[in-house]
Amino acid sequence: MRFVDEATIKVQAGNGGRGCASFRREKFIPFGGPDGGDGGKGADIYLVGKAGINTLADFRYNRAFRAPHGTAGSGNDCTGASGTDLVVEVPIGTVVIDVDTEEQLGDITEAGQRLLVGKGGKGGWGNTRFKTSTNRTPRKAMPGLPGEKRDLRLELKVMADIGLLGLPNAGKSTLIRAVSAAKPKVADYPFTTLHPNLGVVRVGVHRSFVMADIPGLIEGAAEGAGLGIQFLKHLQRTRVLLHLIDVSPPDPDADPVKNARAIIAELKKFSAELAEKERWLVLNKVDLLPADQADKVCKDIVRRLRWKGPVYRISGLAHQGTQELCESIMKRLEEIDAPSEAEVG
């Protein structure tokens, strides 16, 4: 199924049923009085997180969702039946935004999480409600209230612990293939990766994390160059970013440091919060250079970038240094998840 991370849908909650204007008619009771029941409540619409769904592709064809209306009330003080709530399943990680107001209605981050996006209308009152000491035969009943109607924009942000960032052909897909069971397409031309890929990296017994690979960025992505920055939102939920740099680019005139700075600049244009996220430097494809030259090139990149954070030298293709990298990532994630001393106390 094709990966789709944005969709627009229309939701229409059910209308309330009309109230009934009725009078009690029984033998030997000539003046039974009003007995019209209220209308039933219109059905609500809920979005519910569903495990196993990883795309919004279904919403490209099914865009309108209408919940059933409540039924009208009837005599003998019978209230109309309420509509059955409509439940729409969406992928975990879906953000729901009202198109008209740009208000974020909710963020579905867990399986089974329910989000009310359309409230059904209340049922109208029957004439029994209008009975008073001075008005014993009310002939008035109310129509049901209309249900909420909204246009919603659904945005899918993948749920991952680690996000891979870098130029096209920096080796992101090769790395995720090397450390997980994910099998994204790998080739020697730019933009081989056209949509995000997720892989579960297992480090030991009951120790694993999820890694996300997104299409590569190039300079000018914020202005639409390449595939643009439309996929950067998938890194917003990650806890650590791995910035992959090709230490031996195929273009001899390419400068890895200049390219790295361009990626960081595009990151800042997209989101200051994302740019401040913890980021590690991963120098990839070191196996393509002699050991002494690779050491020199790596040290030069770190020096020119004035990098103070963690640095790892790997080769995704040769599986060189990947195990050490994964162990360090797992340890860091466990530190992040560990309760603080204040929480323990």
Side-chain angles (χ1 to χ4, degrees), residues 16-328:
R18 183 177 183 83
C20 175
S22 171
F23 294 90
R24 185 180 179 188
R25 292 290 182 265
E26 293 185 34
K27 191 175 182 180
F28 307 121
I29 305 178
F31 301 104
D35 68 349
D38 299 339
K41 177 183 176 299
D44 299 330
I45 299 181
Y46 291 90
L47 299 185
V48 179
K50 173 71 172 179
I53 306 177
N54 56 13
T55 176
L56 295 173
D58 290 344
F59 298 102
R60 300 189 68 184
Y61 309 103
N62 189 12
R63 295 174 178 266
F65 298 88
R66 294 179 180 274
H69 304 311
T71 60
S74 59
N76 202 24
D77 289 322
C78 290
T79 301
S82 298
T84 303
D85 291 342
L86 177 62
V87 175
V88 181
E89 295 179 339
V90 297
I92 298 172
T94 301
V95 177
V96 185
I97 300 172
D98 189 301
V99 172
D100 296 324
T101 64
E102 289 299 319
E103 175 191 2
Q104 181 174 316
L105 303 181
D107 188 358
I108 299 175
T109 58
E110 297 178 357
Q113 180 180 344
R114 293 165 64 93
L115 176 65
L116 177 65
V117 294
K119 190 169 182 58
K122 292 183 178 180
W125 282 357
N127 64 340
T128 304
R129 297 270 193 172
F130 299 97
K131 180 177 64 175
T132 66
S133 60
T134 57
N135 183 13
R136 299 188 177 186
T137 56
R139 289 172 169 78
K140 177 181 180 182
M142 299 296 292
L145 296 179
E148 285 185 323
K149 183 177 181 180
R150 277 177 167 157
D151 290 344
L152 303 177
R153 185 170 70 251
L154 307 182
E155 296 183 356
L156 176 60
K157 297 180 181 179
V158 298
M159 307 288 288
D161 301 299
I162 303 298
L164 302 182
L165 186 69
L167 287 174
N169 290 107
K172 301 184 299 298
S173 296
T174 302
L175 174 59
I176 200 172
R177 286 174 67 101
V179 300
S180 75
K183 300 299 178 187
K185 184 177 180 181
V186 173
D188 59 355
Y189 54 84
F191 303 112
T192 309
T193 301
L194 298 177
H195 58 78
N197 293 290
L198 295 180
V200 178
V201 182
R202 302 192 184 281
V203 182
V205 179
H206 303 305
R207 297 178 76 221
S208 64
F209 59 87
V210 179
M211 181 179 287
D213 165 31
I214 69 166
L217 290 180
I218 62 175
E219 188 172 4
E223 287 74 42
L227 294 179
I229 56 176
Q230 58 177 315
F231 294 109
L232 275 180
K233 63 187 174 185
H234 294 291
L235 299 181
Q236 290 181 315
R237 298 185 190 275
T238 60
R239 293 185 282 178
V240 178
L241 298 178
L242 301 185
H243 188 167
L244 268 70
I245 295 178
D246 184 352
V247 299
S248 180
D251 183 0
D253 296 327
D255 183 357
V257 173
K258 180 181 178 182
N259 292 335
R261 288 174 177 160
I263 295 297
I264 296 172
E266 297 301 326
L267 205 61
K268 292 179 179 178
K269 289 180 184 178
F270 177 78
S271 167
E273 181 182 353
L274 186 57
E276 293 298 322
K277 192 179 291 289
E278 183 176 350
R279 191 165 68 251
W280 294 8
L281 196 64
V282 180
L283 306 176
N284 193 22
K285 305 184 184 180
V286 294
D287 60 320
L288 299 181
L289 299 174
D292 57 341
Q293 185 179 351
D295 183 65
K296 181 180 178 181
V297 170
C298 291
K299 287 181 178 179
D300 182 63
I301 292 174
V302 173
R303 178 185 60 80
R304 292 174 57 196
L305 283 176
R306 298 178 182 177
W307 189 264
K308 303 299 182 183
V311 180
Y312 289 87
R313 304 178 188 181
I314 70 164
S315 170
L317 185 62
H319 294 223
Q320 178 181 336
T322 55
Q323 185 61 35
E324 178 189 355
L325 174 62
C326 292
E327 288 283 357
S328 298

